[in-house]
Amino acid sequence: MAIEFVCVSAPGTCIVWGDPHYVTFDDVSYDFQGDCEYTLIEVCNKSMDAVDFRVVSNNARDAPDDDVSYLREISLIYNEATYELISGGEVRIDDVSITLPYVTDEVIIFLNYPNIILTAHFGLVIVFNQFTDVSIELNTDYCG
């Protein structure tokens, strides 16, 4: 009996932490201190068979004269809906607060203390510690 091994690519990972530091899927580091939104993931080749979605981080300063900002929220924009994971533990869908767990065929959001975890059927996993740290894994079909 022959054993056959199959290589499977691990999902790519992007992380945000602290005041905020970003490490992209290709392992490049950035520091963004602005009080604004940053697009973390966006499908750039809309002609491929991949699902169209965006993941956006929103940074804020505690006070206007602060030198650093912090992650305020992380949002998934997908299928005409916006899923927001907000610092402090609030979760909203299309600006309406929800109670976890939230389960549909396309998106699941649940609490695995201290993390809020959002998974989407197309291979996206967002793990948010409810404060300043987020890890995002994405299926390698979106590499490029």
Side-chain angles (χ1 to χ4, degrees):
M1 173 167 158
I3 297 175
E4 185 176 323
F5 293 95
V6 177
C7 290
V8 177
S9 296
T13 302
C14 165
I15 58 173
V16 180
W17 82 96
D19 61 353
H21 309 286
Y22 289 76
V23 178
T24 62
F25 289 102
D26 53 355
D27 207 31
V28 177
S29 297
Y30 297 93
D31 297 323
F32 292 120
Q33 300 307 325
D35 191 352
C36 58
E37 290 186 346
Y38 295 100
T39 298
L40 297 176
I41 304 170
E42 184 171 37
V43 176
C44 54
N45 185 354
K46 310 252 192 235
S47 65
M48 61 189 253
D49 290 333
V51 171
D52 189 18
F53 71 98
R54 288 178 53 217
V55 175
V56 176
S57 68
N58 186 320
N59 295 346
R61 292 189 172 106
D62 286 338
D65 58 344
D66 283 352
D67 291 334
V68 297
S69 58
Y70 298 93
L71 184 65
R72 175 185 348 194
E73 73 181 61
I74 190 93
S75 300
L76 166 65
I77 299 95
Y78 164 64
N79 203 16
E80 299 182 18
T82 301
Y83 304 86
E84 300 168 283
L85 310 180
I86 301 166
S87 183
E90 183 180 5
V91 177
R92 290 188 216 148
I93 299 174
D94 295 329
D95 292 324
V96 177
S97 291
I98 64 163
T99 302
L100 299 180
Y102 172 84
V103 179
T104 68
D105 290 340
E106 297 179 332
V107 174
I108 297 171
I109 309 171
F110 62 96
L111 179 65
N112 185 3
Y113 194 80
N115 298 313
I116 296 173
I117 300 173
L118 181 153
T119 64
H121 73 94
F122 53 86
L124 175 73
V125 178
I126 298 173
V127 179
F128 181 44
N129 78 343
Q130 302 187 49
F131 295 103
T132 61
D133 301 352
V134 67
S135 172
I136 304 168
E137 291 185 354
L138 183 60
N139 185 315
T140 56
D141 291 345
Y142 291 90
C143 182

